[in-house]
Amino acid sequence: MYLSHTNPDKQLVVHLWEVYEYSSDMLKHVPLSEENREVLLYINKIVSLTHDFGKYLSYFQTYLKNGETQGDLHHHSFISALFAAHLLCRSSFLVASWSEFAPLLGYFIIMHHHGNLRDIALDVTKSRDIYEDSVQDSLRYRIRILKEQIEDVKKHVSDITKDLRPLWEKLCVPLSLEEELQDFTRDYEKSFDEVYRQYYFIKKKRRGEVTDNLYYYTLLLYSVLINADKLSAANIKRQPRVHIPSDLVDQYRKIHFNTEVIEGTNGWRNRMYNVVMERLQYIANTKPEQRLFTLTAPTGAGKTLLSISAALKWREYAEQHEGYTPKVIYALPFTSVIDQNEKVIHDLLKQLEDFTCNEQRYLVKHHHLSNFQYRTNNEELPVRQALLLTESWEAEFIVTTFVQLFYTLIGYENRALKKFHQIAGGIIILDEIQNVPVEYWPLLRSVLYKMAELFSCKILLLTATQPLIFPKDETIELLESDMIKPINFFKEMERVELHPFRGERGFCNVDEWIEQFQLRFEEGKSYLSIFNTIKTSIDVYERLKGWLKQYGYHVIYLSTNIVPYERRQRIETMKQLLKDKKKVAVISTQVVEAGVDVDFDIVYRDIGPIDAIVQAAGRCNRNGKAREFGKVYIVPVERNGTLESQYVYGSVHTKIAKESLPKETVSEHQFFGIIYRYFESVQNAKSFTVSEGIIRAIEGLRFDAKEKSEFDYVSDFQLIKDVHQAVDVFVEVDEQAMAIWEEYISTVIEEKDLETKLENYLHLKKEVRQYVISAPIQLVKNLDRDLYEKTRMLRLPNDILNQYYHCEYGLIRSSEMVDAWTM
């Protein structure tokens, strides 16, 4: 009996069948043209059958049963990949325009189904060159092993045929198994030439748009293979999809809001909701093929409910008219904003009768700090299975970050790519997409276009400050009708005024900022002051807190300079104080702009990108309850002759922001025009070389390489750039933190059993991260590094806490250090 895995023993043919069954079902949920579906299903059938063909080697079976190896002769991916290419070379009956590349794709994805994708050029060679020095070292080594493996297969052709034939026939493969095995072992070197020929066409761009699409088919086939392979290996049975009624948001609104009122803030939201619902119906009747949409609404408009309602309507339309059920992916820029959006969706889904028993089949929250829990049929799955199902996005709704989404769409890592098939055909809601660096906008536009074109994804850009990623004539705005435009709703809800700085120099230092604040001070008003750097935020906090406390104010400091646990506590305190109408003044960095639902009377903000300024303004008179306009003061802060915004956002964004801001006071509806002009100027000023290079890498299937050459790679995509030399530090701020660290060391770092170690880590990860801050290396270089190689963190123990960490404003930063520390 040939085995694929032990613990428990699983027959190889059972594993191959499960991988085929799971992966083909995954593909069936992706909307495709008929010819593309035929090709993809056939390639997937061959790939499923052959991805572990090398496990028929006697070397592998010996290794599996008793752990004995003969060098690397038990390695199975390369011979499996070559056998798949051999079979797919005999598939001339496939008719799609790109089907001639089937052998190359099958070969490439099987070769790397246990690792990450790399530059395809490293995996191909001509048969006459396979033993030459010009061949990559890793490939040449695999070829040397392959020769001995082929001899082993020759000895066991009849046994392999006997084991595999029933499954081969069950799947109706239109080729003779025994003949193909004999041909392969006799002429396997021919497959190198066919694969190289197809690579050559890609390299020389001999097929134009046909080859440009291969990246997306590669990721789709790779995704269903590796996901099905992992589910089968973990003995996880896939659950059937669950239904969500399209009127779920409508029902929720009737229960929780007065949906009939037309006046005031609720009436304003009701009218926007009705415009969007009517617009959706109009589009369904007139432009059902439309895939790209925008929803441009003011802060506080209830965009989350609006977008989810639209997604459910689209989902029902796809079920009824297009024969598939799209998943809904709601992506946001920061982990800090996920919880409140996930809570809205969670509350919506709680209306469903079986939601509590099957919570994660309906809704998965996925980011690097997620708690991995998965409940199905009223059963809590083991954490290892929960991890796999969460990372694979096995749910109808996925709430996630841009990092998780875009590192899958523009990715090369196995762990990220196993969920690509869940995105294909999905409804992708991108909340605050302007937070993606401008230099990547052409790249996102290219990739999202392809996802819409090839897999019928619907893409909704959701923001109050619509960026210019897509040309206006290619998208449809949902908050619009023949008589109504988004600007009408901006004009209607005038809540704040923006006051530009009017000083003679156009900026001020910290002393002057404090003087301005005190001159304008209105006792009893609530204040939020947002600075671009940690250094200035601490300076202002230290110098203002005593003065403000004289007037009975609660003064709160917020930034990433304090541990996340303490930051969360302060945000809750701040919300409660505001709710209770207490005197509150908050000194903060930009962390408060990211999804913190608070409402201040007066906001101060250092200059920055206009969209960030609009986000800050959204924290002022947010609910429109004040009898007078909220005031937002833009006060550029300089240090040592340089505007601090340049440290954080760069000189280009700073210069354009200064030019875009009006010289006189403006009201809220005018933000609409200011933000448009700002994005237009930024686009014209920015270089898009980095996007162009990655697009070329996508077209050439250049995913990654250990030693980078003159080429660009998909792996060059970096959504978050680490521009500072920093290190993670676990800060023992209290007894709870001390206990968590002790548990982490004893149950994770010192645990010998790998399975237990992983399970303990997944349980503790979120708690550990609640006490971790990113610190400049210079500040913490003297901390003990004994466990750093194992934990990838330094530890700031409680007994020396006061030397490094201040209880009010966090990490102590001396004046000799760099001038700017962001966020």
Side-chain angles (χ1 to χ4, degrees):
M1 183 175 71
Y2 289 99
L3 298 178
S4 64
H5 302 84
T6 56
N7 193 27
D9 287 352
K10 177 171 280 192
Q11 282 184 264
L12 181 52
V13 288
V14 171
H15 173 63
L16 297 179
W17 164 252
E18 286 180 348
V19 171
Y20 167 75
E21 184 182 32
Y22 293 169
S23 59
S24 58
D25 183 64
M26 292 170 195
L27 281 176
K28 285 173 186 172
H29 286 90
V30 178
L32 299 160
S33 68
E34 281 307 309
E35 64 174 28
N36 284 343
R37 179 173 300 283
E38 180 187 349
V39 174
L40 286 163
L41 286 173
Y42 184 77
I43 296 174
N44 180 65
K45 181 187 294 186
I46 298 301
V47 164
S48 300
L49 277 172
T50 60
H51 79 282
D52 276 352
F53 170 75
K55 290 185 176 181
Y56 279 110
L57 293 166
S58 60
Y59 307 114
F60 181 85
Q61 292 298 313
T62 300
Y63 163 73
L64 201 62
K65 289 166 185 174
N66 57 31
E68 292 180 11
T69 64
Q70 296 182 44
D72 292 330
L73 288 169
H74 64 291
H75 288 184
H76 66 280
S77 293
F78 186 52
I79 189 171
S80 302
L82 205 62
F83 186 46
H86 168 85
L87 295 174
L88 289 167
C89 285
R90 286 150 169 75
S91 306
S92 57
F93 56 87
L94 299 174
V95 297
S97 57
W98 58 276
S99 56
E100 66 177 295
F101 296 96
L104 177 64
L105 268 56
Y107 169 82
F108 184 56
I109 65 177
I110 291 177
M111 171 116 48
H112 298 293
H113 77 279
H114 288 305
N116 299 331
L117 296 179
R118 61 179 191 169
D119 185 350
I120 200 167
L122 303 176
D123 294 328
V124 298
T125 185
K126 300 171 188 172
S127 61
R128 68 169 184 262
D129 296 334
I130 58 178
Y131 302 112
E132 297 297 323
D133 290 341
S134 59
V135 176
Q136 287 286 327
D137 290 345
S138 59
L139 183 58
R140 188 166 65 248
Y141 179 67
R142 287 179 167 186
I143 291 169
R144 194 159 59 243
I145 292 171
L146 176 68
K147 199 167 185 181
E148 291 186 59
Q149 292 177 328
I150 290 292
E151 293 303 314
D152 184 73
V153 173
K154 282 181 180 178
K155 295 174 188 175
H156 301 96
V157 164
S158 61
D159 290 335
I160 295 171
T161 303
K162 183 179 178 182
D163 189 71
L164 187 55
R165 182 187 287 128
L167 180 56
W168 192 273
E169 292 174 350
K170 182 178 181 179
L171 298 185
C172 302
V173 180
L175 302 167
S176 167
L177 174 60
E178 192 160 13
E179 286 179 17
E180 295 304 337
L181 279 172
Q182 290 170 348
D183 286 350
F184 175 64
T185 54
R186 183 174 57 248
D187 295 322
Y188 69 91
E189 292 180 355
K190 287 184 178 179
S191 298
F192 286 112
D193 291 324
E194 181 60 26
V195 165
Y196 186 85
R197 183 184 70 82
Q198 293 159 23
Y199 159 72
Y200 179 82
F201 286 142
I202 295 173
K203 180 182 178 183
K204 298 297 183 182
K205 293 187 73 65
R206 293 288 177 84
R207 294 290 187 271
E209 188 177 345
V210 170
T211 52
D212 291 350
N213 294 340
L214 291 182
Y215 168 87
Y216 301 92
Y217 298 134
T218 298
L219 292 196
L220 181 59
L221 287 164
Y222 182 70
S223 173
V224 298
L225 169 64
I226 61 178
N227 195 39
D229 192 29
K230 293 175 194 297
L231 291 173
S232 172
N235 293 304
I236 299 175
K237 299 296 182 186
R238 298 187 75 230
Q239 297 291 325
R241 300 286 297 275
V242 290
H243 175 69
I244 301 175
S246 64
D247 64 348
L248 197 65
V249 176
D250 305 305
Q251 297 304 319
Y252 180 85
R253 292 180 70 248
K254 285 178 182 177
I255 294 169
H256 292 89
F257 306 106
N258 182 346
T259 57
E260 302 300 322
V261 66
I262 58 173
E263 300 298 331
T265 303
N266 283 338
W268 177 67
R269 292 183 180 128
N270 286 340
R271 281 180 280 112
M272 277 188 282
Y273 188 87
N274 293 337
V275 168
V276 171
M277 294 305 107
E278 290 171 11
R279 183 71 157 168
L280 289 171
Q281 189 60 53
Y282 171 78
I283 294 166
N285 294 334
T286 59
K287 292 187 176 180
E289 73 288 347
Q290 178 69 26
R291 301 293 174 190
L292 304 174
F293 301 89
T294 59
L295 177 52
T296 311
T299 55
K303 289 192 289 292
T304 303
L305 282 178
L306 270 171
S307 62
I308 295 304
S309 188
L312 290 175
K313 302 294 190 293
W314 284 331
R315 188 175 146 106
E316 182 184 63
Y317 185 91
E319 287 174 336
Q320 293 178 352
H321 299 277
E322 297 169 0
Y324 73 100
T325 304
K327 298 201 171 189
V328 181
I329 298 119
Y330 195 115
L332 301 116
F334 312 109
T335 55
S336 57
V337 302
I338 281 184
D339 287 347
Q340 85 180 36
N341 286 272
E342 189 260 354
K343 185 180 184 306
V344 171
I345 301 170
H346 188 276
D347 289 346
L348 277 174
L349 294 171
K350 273 201 307 189
Q351 299 174 103
L352 301 174
E353 189 175 332
D354 66 336
F355 175 70
T356 305
C357 300
N358 294 284
E359 187 168 328
Q360 280 70 39
R361 285 173 66 186
Y362 285 99
L363 173 64
V364 156
K365 177 172 65 174
H366 183 216
H367 55 81
H368 75 288
L369 296 179
S370 297
N371 275 341
F372 294 105
Q373 296 174 303
Y374 200 95
R375 178 173 288 276
T376 177
N377 299 323
N378 214 21
E379 177 189 0
E380 195 79 39
L381 296 183
V383 69
R384 186 74 180 244
Q385 294 187 0
L387 169 67
L388 182 54
L389 291 169
T390 299
E391 290 190 336
S392 301
W393 289 4
E394 288 288 334
E396 302 303 317
F397 271 92
I398 298 95
V399 183
T400 191
T401 59
F402 288 171
V403 167
Q404 291 292 339
L405 174 65
F406 291 129
Y407 278 26
T408 299
L409 294 176
I410 309 164
Y412 69 101
E413 292 182 311
N414 184 297
R415 187 174 182 179
L417 293 178
K418 67 175 179 278
K419 58 184 182 285
F420 180 88
H421 67 282
Q422 308 281 28
I423 305 170
I427 297 164
I428 305 171
I429 301 171
L430 300 171
D431 198 341
E432 307 297 352
I433 189 64
Q434 74 279 356
N435 285 284
V436 173
V438 177
E439 56 267 29
Y440 285 133
W441 287 4
L443 173 62
L444 292 194
R445 179 184 174 191
S446 174
V447 170
L448 293 172
Y449 263 144
K450 285 295 184 183
M451 294 300 293
E453 176 192 345
L454 299 178
F455 306 127
S456 298
C457 288
K458 281 196 185 297
I459 295 149
L460 175 58
L461 306 186
L462 185 67
T463 179
T465 56
Q466 201 61 248
L468 306 177
I469 294 178
F470 294 102
K472 255 190 159 183
D473 59 351
E474 293 174 356
T475 62
I476 288 181
E477 170 61 46
L478 293 184
L479 189 59
E480 192 169 279
S481 68
D482 291 339
M483 305 295 293
I484 297 172
K485 303 291 182 187
I487 187 64
N488 299 126
F489 292 101
F490 281 81
K491 287 179 177 179
E492 188 176 336
M493 185 55 71
E494 295 281 29
R495 295 165 290 183
V496 300
E497 291 178 336
L498 193 67
H499 295 259
F501 184 66
R502 294 191 177 122
E504 290 182 11
R505 296 182 298 160
F507 54 82
C508 65
N509 56 34
V510 172
D511 292 333
E512 292 164 335
W513 189 97
I514 291 173
E515 183 182 346
Q516 288 273 339
F517 180 90
Q518 291 174 334
L519 283 172
R520 291 189 183 127
F521 180 69
E522 299 176 56
E523 187 180 350
K525 301 285 189 184
S526 57
Y527 286 88
L528 170 63
S529 301
I530 302 172
F531 297 95
N532 284 327
T533 68
I534 288 171
K535 181 174 179 60
T536 294
S537 68
I538 293 173
D539 282 354
V540 172
Y541 172 76
E542 283 287 271
R543 294 167 64 178
L544 264 187
K545 65 177 180 180
W547 186 83
L548 284 164
K549 285 179 179 179
Q550 291 177 6
Y551 293 94
Y553 272 77
H554 299 268
V555 187
I556 297 173
Y557 177 77
L558 283 173
S559 80
T560 55
N561 204 48
I562 56 178
V563 295
Y565 174 81
E566 178 63 29
R567 199 159 68 236
R568 192 174 69 249
Q569 298 294 106
R570 293 183 190 186
I571 288 171
E572 290 307 312
T573 299
M574 171 180 68
K575 287 181 175 180
Q576 190 60 50
L577 289 169
L578 288 168
K579 185 178 179 182
D580 295 340
K581 307 295 184 184
K582 301 293 185 181
K583 296 178 180 180
V584 184
V586 175
I587 312 296
S588 177
T589 58
Q590 306 95 313
V591 289
V592 79
E593 292 172 354
V596 181
D597 189 3
V598 287
D599 191 345
F600 288 86
D601 298 317
I602 297 174
V603 171
Y604 281 80
R605 208 232 186 262
D606 194 353
I607 196 168
I610 301 297
D611 54 294
I613 290 172
V614 172
Q615 286 289 337
R619 274 74 198 147
C620 183
N621 194 19
R622 183 176 180 84
N623 296 312
K625 293 181 179 178
R627 284 176 292 180
E628 57 188 49
F629 285 140
K631 298 185 181 75
V632 180
Y633 294 104
I634 306 305
V635 185
V637 178
E638 63 88 22
R639 186 177 294 274
N640 300 327
T642 302
L643 287 178
E644 290 200 341
S645 60
Q646 294 187 31
Y647 292 125
V648 184
Y649 303 110
S651 57
V652 172
H653 283 282
T654 299
K655 178 176 181 292
I656 295 173
K658 285 178 65 180
E659 293 170 351
S660 300
L661 281 171
K663 301 293 187 258
E664 302 299 325
T665 300
V666 294
S667 55
E668 188 170 356
H669 79 273
Q670 293 171 282
F671 296 176
F672 201 82
I674 296 169
I675 194 73
Y676 183 85
R677 292 190 295 274
Y678 169 76
F679 282 135
E680 197 171 42
S681 298
V682 168
Q683 266 197 323
N684 292 334
K686 276 287 185 178
S687 167
F688 298 116
T689 305
V690 63
S691 276
E692 293 162 1
I694 296 173
I695 290 170
R696 286 195 298 271
I698 284 172
E699 293 168 351
L701 300 182
R702 295 194 303 272
F703 288 90
D704 187 38
K706 286 183 180 178
E707 296 180 8
K708 299 294 179 72
S709 65
E710 73 275 14
F711 296 114
D712 296 289
Y713 296 90
V714 174
S715 59
D716 291 332
F717 176 62
Q718 285 187 302
L719 204 55
I720 301 173
K721 293 181 173 61
D722 184 10
V723 295
H724 304 287
Q725 280 198 313
V727 63
D728 282 349
V729 181
F730 184 92
V731 185
E732 292 185 346
V733 293
D734 54 25
E735 290 185 1
Q736 180 174 299
M738 294 165 66
I740 289 171
W741 180 261
E742 189 175 324
E743 185 180 0
Y744 175 63
I745 297 301
S746 62
T747 65
V748 177
I749 302 304
E750 294 176 352
E751 175 59 52
K752 304 300 182 197
D753 182 76
L754 293 180
E755 196 72 24
T756 305
K757 185 188 190 86
L758 175 63
E759 189 162 327
N760 291 342
Y761 170 71
L762 293 174
H763 277 306
L764 268 179
K765 181 174 72 167
K766 187 172 183 178
E767 289 185 71
V768 169
R769 297 303 300 183
Q770 289 303 309
Y771 292 95
V772 174
I773 60 173
S774 182
I777 290 172
Q778 303 99 311
L779 294 181
V780 292
K781 62 185 178 183
N782 293 326
L783 291 177
D784 187 351
R785 292 171 177 256
D786 286 351
L787 289 173
Y788 181 77
E789 289 303 316
K790 294 180 179 179
T791 64
R792 309 310 298 173
M793 291 183 287
L794 295 177
R795 169 183 168 237
L796 175 52
N798 187 264
D799 57 0
I800 61 169
L801 182 68
N802 292 342
Q803 297 177 36
Y804 290 87
Y805 192 87
H806 192 280
C807 63
E808 292 183 55
Y809 55 76
L811 191 67
I812 298 170
R813 301 170 182 255
S814 71
S815 58
E816 288 78 31
M817 306 308 296
V818 291
D819 285 332
W821 304 289
T822 65
M823 298 292 283

